[in-house]
C-alpha cells in the first residue's frame, strides 16, 4: 500500500514538474515574443512618395490599400497586427475650413490646431479614448507634434502613436497602430518610424 502511494506521489510530482517546465517554457516564449522589436537601421527600408517625402519602415511591413481611403501611403502586416498610414492635407484649405467652422485658435500654431482637431475626431470614433502627449515639437526640423491614443474599436483594445508634421504647403498625419497588448513590443519601432519621416524640398 505504501509502495503504491509512493508511486502515485512520484507520478504527481513528475507531472507537476513537467507542467512547471512547460509553463516556464511558455512564459519564456511569451517574454521573448514581447521583447521590443529592433530599431537598427538595417531592419528598415526607405519608402518614398514621389518627391514629397520619405520614411523608414520595417522590412516586415508591406504595401496595403484598404487601411484608410484618405491615405497617400499605406503599409502593414496583418500577422503582426501593425499598421502605418500617412494622410496629407492642404494646409491653407484646412485653416480656412476650420476658421469657417469656428474651430480654429489663432493664438496657437497651425500644427497645434491640427493636432487638436484630430484628437476631436478620434474622440468621436473611439470608445473611451485616452490621450497622451509626447511633448515633441519638431521632426527633422519641421514643426511637429506626437500623441499616443488608447481606445476601443468594436470592443478591440487598440493603441495609436500618431505624429503630425507641418510642411510649407501641406500637413501630414503619420498614424501607427496595433492591438493594445502588443504596444510594448512595437512602441519604440513606431516612434522610430515617425522620427525618420522627412519632407523632400517642402
Amino acid at each position: 500500500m505504501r509502495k503504491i502511494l509512493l508511486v502515485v506521489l512520484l507520478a504527481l510530482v513528475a507531472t507537476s514538474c513537467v507542467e512547471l517546465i512547460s509553463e516556464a517554457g511558455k512564459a519564456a516564449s511569451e517574454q521573448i515574443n514581447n521583447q521590443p522589436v529592433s530599431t537598427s537601421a538595417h531592419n528598415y527600408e526607405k519608402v518614398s512618395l514621389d518627391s514629397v517625402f520619405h520614411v523608414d519602415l520595417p522590412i516586415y511591413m508591406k504595401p496595403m490599400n484598404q487601411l484608410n481611403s484618405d491615405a497617400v501611403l499605406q503599409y502593414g502586416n496583418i500577422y503582426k497586427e501593425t499598421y502605418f498610414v500617412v494622410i496629407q492635407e492642404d494646409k491653407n484649405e484646412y485653416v480656412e475650413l476650420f476658421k469657417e467652422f469656428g474651430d480654429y485658435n489663432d493664438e496657437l500654431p497651425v500644427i497645434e490646431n491640427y493636432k487638436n482637431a484630430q484628437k476631436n475626431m478620434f474622440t468621436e470614433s473611439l470608445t473611451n479614448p485616452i490621450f497622451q502627449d509626447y511633448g515633441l515639437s519638431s521632426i527633422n526640423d519641421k514643426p511637429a507634434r506626437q500623441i499616443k491614443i488608447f481606445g476601443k474599436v468594436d470592443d478591440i483594445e487598440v493603441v495609436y502613436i500618431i505624429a503630425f508634421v507641418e510642411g510649407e504647403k501641406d500637413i501630414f498625419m503619420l498614424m501607427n497602430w496595433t492591438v493594445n497588448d502588443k504596444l510594448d513590443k512595437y512602441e519604440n519601432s513606431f516612434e522610430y518610424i515617425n522620427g525618420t519621416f522627412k519632407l523632400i524640398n517642402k
Side-chain angles (χ1 to χ4, degrees):
M1 182 66 180
R2 290 180 62 185
K3 289 183 179 180
I4 295 174
L5 181 59
L6 181 61
V7 170
V8 170
L9 286 174
L10 287 173
L12 287 174
V13 170
T15 302
S16 298
C17 288
V18 170
E19 289 178 355
L20 284 173
I21 293 170
S22 177
E23 290 300 320
K26 288 179 182 178
S29 176
E30 288 176 2
Q31 187 173 5
I32 292 172
N33 289 334
N34 286 327
Q35 288 294 315
V37 297
S38 172
T39 53
S40 298
H42 69 271
N43 291 319
Y44 294 76
E45 60 182 356
K46 194 176 298 296
V47 176
S48 301
L49 178 69
D50 303 325
S51 58
V52 181
F53 64 79
H54 57 72
V55 62
D56 293 355
L57 297 178
I59 56 178
Y60 59 74
M61 281 190 177
K62 303 302 177 185
M64 303 184 77
N65 57 19
Q66 295 181 333
L67 297 176
N68 188 302
S69 59
D70 294 324
V72 295
L73 188 73
Q74 305 179 63
Y75 271 69
N77 185 306
I78 60 173
Y79 303 106
K80 296 182 182 295
E81 297 178 294
T82 57
Y83 306 96
F84 173 79
V85 303
V86 177
I87 294 174
Q88 178 180 359
E89 297 196 57
D90 183 281
K91 182 162 66 174
N92 288 334
E93 286 184 6
Y94 158 72
V95 172
E96 291 174 5
L97 182 63
F98 276 73
K99 280 187 175 182
E100 183 180 333
F101 290 153
D103 197 20
Y104 189 89
N105 187 341
D106 288 309
E107 296 182 358
L108 297 176
V110 172
I111 195 67
E112 188 74 18
N113 273 285
Y114 187 71
K115 180 198 76 173
N116 292 339
Q118 291 297 341
K119 286 173 71 173
N120 290 337
M121 297 284 191
F122 276 96
T123 298
E124 295 299 321
S125 59
L126 293 176
T127 302
N128 301 323
I130 298 173
F131 299 91
Q132 295 179 3
D133 279 30
Y134 278 79
L136 182 144
S137 61
S138 67
I139 292 178
N140 288 314
D141 298 323
K142 297 296 182 182
R145 300 290 187 270
Q146 185 165 270
I147 61 175
K148 185 190 302 181
I149 310 174
F150 297 90
K152 284 186 178 182
V153 178
D154 296 331
D155 292 327
I156 299 173
E157 292 186 342
V158 295
V159 58
Y160 297 82
I161 293 180
I162 304 174
F164 310 97
V165 182
E166 180 183 348
E168 292 183 12
K169 296 182 179 180
D170 298 299
I171 304 176
F172 301 83
M173 178 165 67
L174 288 55
M175 188 160 58
N176 305 266
W177 74 95
T178 187
V179 290
N180 197 39
D181 60 4
K182 292 189 176 182
L183 175 63
D184 289 344
K185 184 170 185 175
Y186 295 109
E187 182 172 14
N188 289 346
S189 178
F190 289 165
E191 293 170 355
Y192 176 85
I193 292 169
N194 289 348
T196 66
F197 181 83
K198 190 169 185 178
L199 297 175
I200 304 171
N201 300 322
K202 285 275 186 175

